[in-house]
């Protein structure tokens, strides 16, 4: 008696490449300590790849400093335009007459 021929099989996976992966966002600040008398810090959001559409990064500003009394932020969002890789907002310190300890702004 002769054995029937063995059936063989090989499998491939077709990976969907229609949707590009979303870029990652990093946040950095150029000055970690600013003067109370009008010091300015720039917060920059940078994408790992150019934006294919406008990207909005919502910011939460916290810390021991008080908005308007101790600092003015240029915005609470960073918009990175299509084709760009970064966008920024600034935080400007307000010189008040109160003798207080150093205060913080966390983004």
């Amino acid at each position: 008696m002769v054995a029937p021929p063995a059936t063989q099989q090989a499998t491939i996976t077709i990976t969907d490449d229609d949707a590009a992966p979303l870029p990652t966002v990093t946040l950095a600040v150029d000055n970690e300590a600013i003067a109370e008398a009008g010091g300015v810090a720039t917060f920059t959001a940078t994408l790992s790849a150019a934006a294919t559409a406008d990207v909005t990064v919502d910011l939460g500003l916290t810390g021991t400093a008080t908005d308007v009394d101790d600092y003015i932020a240029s915005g609470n969002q960073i918009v990175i335009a299509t084709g760009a890789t970064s966008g920024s907002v600034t935080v400007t310190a307000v010189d008040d007459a109160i003798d207080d300890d150093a205060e913080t702004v966390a983004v």
Side-chain angles (χ1 to χ4, degrees):
M1 181 162 157
V2 175
T7 303
Q8 295 186 4
Q9 180 178 355
T11 304
I12 65 165
T13 300
I14 300 173
T15 304
D16 183 10
D17 61 359
D18 295 331
L22 295 175
T24 57
V25 179
T26 56
L27 187 64
V29 63
D30 66 344
N31 292 318
E32 293 182 6
I34 60 175
E36 183 180 36
V40 177
T42 301
F43 290 88
T44 302
T46 303
L47 298 176
S48 59
T52 57
D54 287 356
V55 174
T56 301
V57 179
D58 292 320
L59 304 175
L61 286 88
T62 63
T64 59
T66 304
D67 187 18
V68 180
D69 292 335
D70 297 313
Y71 69 91
I72 303 290
S74 64
N76 59 4
Q77 294 180 327
I78 297 174
V79 177
I80 304 171
T82 302
T85 56
S86 66
S88 300
V89 297
T90 58
V91 171
T92 304
V94 173
D95 191 8
D96 60 23
I98 301 170
D99 184 18
D100 48 15
D101 293 332
E103 297 169 305
T104 61
V105 178
V107 177

